[in-house]
Amino acid sequence: MTDEPIGEFELIRRIRARASSHPGVLLGIGDDAAILRRSPDGHPIVVTTDMLLDGRHFLLNKHGAEAVGYKSLAVNLSDIAAMAAKPVAAFVSVALPKGSARSVAEGLMDGMIPLADRFKVALAGGDTNGWSGPLVICVTVIGEAVPPGPIRRSGARPGDAILVTGPLGGSLLGRHLHPEPRVIEALALLDRAPPTALIDLSDGLASDLGHILTESGGLGATLETDSIPIHPDAERSSLQSGRPTIEHALGDGEDFELCLTTSPEAAQSLLNVPPPGVSLFRVGTIDVEPGIRLRSRSGKVSPLPVSGFDHLTRGEATDHAT
Ligand code: ADP
Ligand code: MG
């Protein structure tokens, strides 16, 4: 499919006409740089960026530009949520495939703008290029910390409970294209019982919990196999792969649920009365002994090899582009 040719300036004009706004953005698209208001209370700013590549993180021809636009903003909002911060402004840089620059750019916006509006994030700038290569999209989101946040990966303590906000596994069957960023959930948790550590599940619970353990000074964890919420997609993936469902739940990645640690008392209070609209599952406990262990219903404990996606060690082709 080839579009009518469209100039860079005309494309930016169209993007500007659709861009969402935020009171913290004093000047968005149209000048050499955006101008953001300083946080009135002097809270720190939080910045995250993610780059998605056609053929690696998605297949443009199969998934369509709208899904790519949605996902490219959603994964950044998920990282802001994982700091328990409030998103303010998004910056979007694209390398558009030349023959279809116009329809791809509009499709990206179709996916991105409703999400930006829903989370009240301004589309405040970016960069637009055309080239003969595949689509590349890089989104940066600026957020504002909310005391007592931002919440880092590094605060877990032995004895803390480990919780997740939703069922895990099998997202590569398609769910990975439209994750729900847990921004509201993170802020509700911050308000009720600030987590000691927080991360979003992009690489899989085994791998991402591993980051909390490493950053918290080399701790370990015991997961209760029967307590891990399994997504129906993980069951379907297991039927296809022949591997146990639990492996999919722990290792598939791209769930974009939150994983948090809190004191056991705070966890009990949260589980008894969760913040409105927030699902919580206790999956295990932080230990002093390094490594991740799985405890079965019978009480048998076995070590878990740390798995999950690592884009540098896995093969070139289409990891997430299924
Ligand atoms: P400059 O040449 O000074 O870098 P550009 O022509 O690249 O300016 O961009 C003009 C304006 O359009 C800037 O405000 C820039 O942030 C914005 N912009 C360019 N591309 C995009 C895009 N894909 N999404 C959002 N804003 C964009
Ligand atoms: Mg520029």
Side-chain angles (χ1 to χ4, degrees):
M1 182 184 55
T2 306
D3 298 353
E4 295 283 298
I6 185 168
E8 177 191 337
F9 297 128
E10 173 59 13
L11 256 185
I12 294 174
R13 195 190 63 72
R14 289 177 183 220
I15 294 169
R16 185 179 184 178
R18 298 178 64 180
S20 43
S21 64
H22 183 285
V25 176
L26 303 178
L27 183 65
I29 297 174
D31 214 306
D32 296 305
I35 305 176
L36 306 196
R37 166 171 68 58
R38 244 190 299 173
S39 153
D41 307 306
H43 299 152
I45 57 171
V46 177
V47 184
T48 184
T49 193
D50 250 305
M51 178 161 63
L52 301 186
L53 313 175
D54 188 6
R56 190 61 192 266
H57 303 97
F58 61 87
L59 294 171
L60 180 60
N61 282 336
K62 181 173 174 196
H63 300 135
E66 185 174 337
V68 175
Y70 178 94
K71 179 171 178 175
S72 63
L73 178 58
V75 297
N76 280 276
L77 295 178
S78 181
D79 279 323
I80 294 285
M83 304 302 283
K86 265 187 195 162
V88 171
F91 297 82
V92 179
S93 296
V94 285
L96 298 166
K98 268 214 165 97
S100 53
R102 177 205 297 255
S103 58
V104 170
E106 304 235 318
L108 292 173
M109 290 300 120
D110 290 343
M112 203 176 292
I113 296 291
L115 183 64
D117 285 341
R118 190 152 66 83
F119 283 91
K120 302 189 166 52
V121 188
L123 175 53
D127 199 21
T128 303
N129 291 282
W131 76 324
S132 56
L135 173 64
V136 177
I137 178 164
C138 179
V139 177
T140 300
V141 172
I142 312 276
E144 194 178 335
V146 180
I151 305 293
R152 299 180 51 181
R153 300 174 174 184
S154 52
R157 297 161 306 198
D160 278 357
I162 306 164
L163 296 91
V164 297
T165 55
L168 309 178
S171 91
L172 297 185
L173 291 181
R175 206 165 87 249
H176 72 104
L177 291 168
H178 42 84
E180 177 66 13
R182 299 299 185 196
V183 173
I184 295 156
E185 291 81 351
L187 294 172
L189 287 165
L190 188 69
D191 193 45
R192 255 289 293 286
T196 51
L198 185 60
I199 194 168
D200 66 325
L201 296 177
S202 52
D203 296 334
L205 180 61
S207 175
D208 291 318
L209 175 60
H211 295 316
I212 286 184
L213 301 175
T214 304
E215 295 299 318
S216 298
L219 298 174
T222 302
L223 298 175
E224 310 294 336
T225 311
D226 283 353
S227 302
I228 293 166
I230 307 279
H231 197 281
D233 290 344
E235 318 263 9
R236 287 167 58 212
S237 295
S238 166
L239 288 176
Q240 287 180 14
S241 70
R243 287 164 40 223
T245 310
I246 186 78
E247 273 186 28
H248 286 280
L250 294 176
D252 282 354
E254 305 248 339
D255 297 300
F256 296 107
E257 296 295 346
L258 297 173
C259 174
L260 56 137
T261 60
T262 69
S263 72
E265 299 77 26
Q268 201 48 59
S269 151
L270 286 169
L271 290 165
N272 289 346
V273 186
V278 182
S279 301
L280 286 170
F281 305 84
R282 179 170 180 173
V283 297
T285 306
I286 299 287
D287 303 328
V288 176
E289 190 191 338
I292 301 179
R293 290 157 290 280
L294 265 182
R295 180 158 47 213
S296 70
R297 191 195 312 244
S298 66
K300 184 167 166 273
V301 176
S302 48
L304 182 81
V306 173
S307 61
F309 277 111
D310 183 323
H311 289 264
L312 293 182
T313 56
R314 283 175 66 99
E316 184 45 41
T318 55
D319 296 350
H320 294 52
T322 46

